Amino acid sequence: MSCGFEEDLTAYVDGELPPARREEVTAHLDTCAGCRSTHALLRNTVARLAELPAYEPSSATRRAVMAKLDALPVPWWERLRKWLRPVVLVPSLGLAAAVGVALLLAGPGPDAPPELEDPAVMELAANLEVAEDYEVLGLDSAEDLEVVANLHELEATP
Amino acid sequence: MSAVDLDSDAQAMLKVAAGDRQAFAWLFDRYHASVARFAFRFVGDRERAEELTQDIFVKLYRHAGAYKPTARFKTFLFRVATNHCLNEVRRGEYRVSHTSSETPEGEETGAVEMAGPEGDRPDQALAGRELEQVVGAALGDMSARERAAFTMCRFEGMAYRDIAEALEASEAAVKSLIHRATLAVARRIEELQAGTAPARSRA
Ligand SMILES: [Zn+2]
């Protein structure tokens, strides 16, 4: 085991040696019985490992993982987007408005509000109130935001 | 693996980062078997492997934002998997239970389910089970990093370069880990072959 080539024999079997070193090892195998025997053993081992029975993963894992994803805490912007949905008339516009709000909440937003069709401008205005309340009240938790969103939802109901 | 596959993996992963569950499910279906196999070889117990597999995929989802499409997806996935498994072992959550006594002869193995064409060749099936046991025992004696490197190399066919990236190690270190691990398994297989020669001639 004191032969300096021994360390390279697995990489040699795996085809992971640089070409120059590979040639050196090939030449060395002709002269070193110890390495020849170790090389044969390693090559045989790698071949036998391929015969191991396949591992059959559980078919229940997918559902378990998806359930765990559902249980993850939802980021506040995702929740905001969901709360805003009942307030708006058209879901896609609501989404756009929510993105606008998210931009405003995220810090220094664009100077001008995004250009939208009339109903959308109205929605955006309604949602801007949420953003304003958020800033005025100095709310920082998602739960507080939910309260504010629900207040507006109540106001929107006739 | 073709370039198209890699591209679609990367694209799916970018969608996952944006919260796309369908893209996540697609990646899960593609890589579930690989991750489960890795976890099983790493921890040597089916039930624990299942827990690890679930946790790894949840982590993948939660850390999807850290993925850069310049990196091969599978390498990123195995970086998550390796980190998770090494951490769990370090924290003492999992005692690696690769023991040959765990699957007594003649009993149904609790650790691994045999699949494949051995059914009609009993002598081969026996050899497969013995092989499974000696490989399990050798894995149990390895260091956690050797086991991780060995598993990625032998069971996932990953290149040393990719294993180095997943393990956050140099290629030289990976080469050495894989050599020591493979040699350890080789010695055990050598013993098995020497030990079972009479049994085989009997069958
Ligand atoms: Zn030599």
Side-chain angles (χ1 to χ4, degrees):
Chain A
M1 289 310 124
S2 54
C3 179
F5 283 87
E6 198 249 33
E7 276 281 307
D8 278 354
L9 290 178
T10 299
Y12 180 79
V13 169
D14 286 336
E16 287 275 0
L17 287 179
R21 182 61 179 166
R22 182 171 182 81
E23 275 175 36
E24 283 173 21
V25 174
T26 305
H28 174 75
L29 286 174
D30 283 337
T31 65
C32 180
C35 281
R36 229 174 11 248
S37 142
T38 305
H39 172 249
L41 180 65
L42 289 168
R43 205 175 46 183
N44 171 55
T45 298
V46 171
R48 294 230 53 194
L49 285 169
E51 296 169 15
L52 277 178
Y55 178 75
E56 291 295 311
S58 162
S59 55
T61 314
R62 194 185 209 264
R63 192 176 299 169
V65 168
M66 292 305 173
K68 282 185 178 181
L69 295 194
D70 285 336
L72 286 176
V74 180
W76 65 265
W77 61 87
E78 280 289 333
R79 300 174 70 177
L80 181 64
R81 195 170 63 181
K82 275 182 193 145
W83 303 326
L84 290 174
R85 227 167 249 163
V87 186
V88 300
L89 304 168
V90 186
S92 62
L93 291 177
L95 208 78
V99 168
V101 172
L103 281 173
L104 286 167
L105 292 177
D111 292 338
E115 287 181 20
L116 298 164
E117 302 297 331
D118 280 352
V121 172
M122 282 172 64
E123 290 310 326
L124 184 64
N127 289 322
L128 279 175
E129 280 179 44
V130 178
E132 279 165 15
D133 291 343
Y134 178 84
E135 280 176 358
V136 169
L137 299 173
L139 303 173
D140 49 16
S141 82
E143 284 73 23
D144 289 338
L145 251 182
E146 188 165 13
V147 171
V148 174
N150 288 337
L151 280 176
H152 285 278
E153 206 175 331
L154 287 175
E155 285 167 12
T157 359
Chain B
M1 248 199 222
S2 74
V4 176
D5 284 334
L6 297 176
D7 273 356
S8 52
D9 283 354
Q11 279 170 17
M13 195 53 187
L14 293 176
K15 286 182 187 170
V16 173
D20 187 330
R21 290 281 181 90
Q22 266 185 304
F24 177 80
W26 185 80
L27 282 171
F28 177 90
D29 290 341
R30 258 169 90 76
Y31 290 101
H32 174 205
S34 284
V35 171
R37 189 164 51 224
F38 174 78
F40 173 71
R41 291 298 174 198
F42 189 83
V43 82
D45 176 279
R46 206 180 165 88
E47 226 170 282
R48 292 170 191 171
E50 171 65 20
E51 283 174 42
L52 286 170
T53 303
Q54 291 182 18
D55 291 346
I56 288 163
F57 275 105
V58 171
K59 268 200 177 160
L60 178 74
Y61 182 82
R62 289 181 57 209
H63 299 293
Y67 174 69
K68 304 268 189 302
T70 47
R72 200 186 289 254
F73 170 73
K74 189 172 179 178
T75 307
F76 179 82
L77 172 65
F78 272 84
R79 193 170 183 154
V80 173
T82 303
N83 272 334
H84 184 72
C85 288
L86 291 175
N87 280 337
E88 292 299 293
V89 166
R90 206 172 292 137
R91 282 170 47 202
E93 290 280 312
Y94 292 91
R95 188 170 295 275
V96 174
S97 59
H98 298 275
T99 50
S100 46
S101 59
E102 200 175 296
T103 54
E105 228 176 293
E107 266 179 45
E108 208 190 328
T109 69
V112 75
E113 255 142 53
M114 299 297 183
E118 306 96 329
D120 50 347
R121 295 168 66 185
D123 55 328
Q124 280 284 103
L126 183 65
R129 188 158 56 213
E130 284 171 343
L131 186 64
E132 184 68 51
Q133 284 177 7
V134 293
V135 170
L139 282 163
D141 283 346
M142 290 176 196
S143 75
R145 288 171 74 77
E146 281 171 354
R147 207 158 56 236
F150 178 84
T151 301
M152 283 186 269
C153 176
R154 300 284 165 242
F155 302 116
E156 294 309 313
M158 288 168 69
Y160 287 15
R161 180 169 44 90
D162 294 331
I163 296 169
E165 211 178 305
L167 267 176
E168 296 171 69
S170 69
E171 265 189 71
V174 164
K175 188 181 117 194
S176 168
L177 288 170
I178 291 174
H179 175 63
R180 279 204 302 271
T182 308
L183 200 55
V185 173
R187 297 287 179 222
R188 290 212 181 232
I189 288 181
E190 196 178 32
E191 284 169 26
L192 170 75
Q193 284 175 335
T196 56
R200 208 177 278 158
S201 62
R202 207 174 348 120

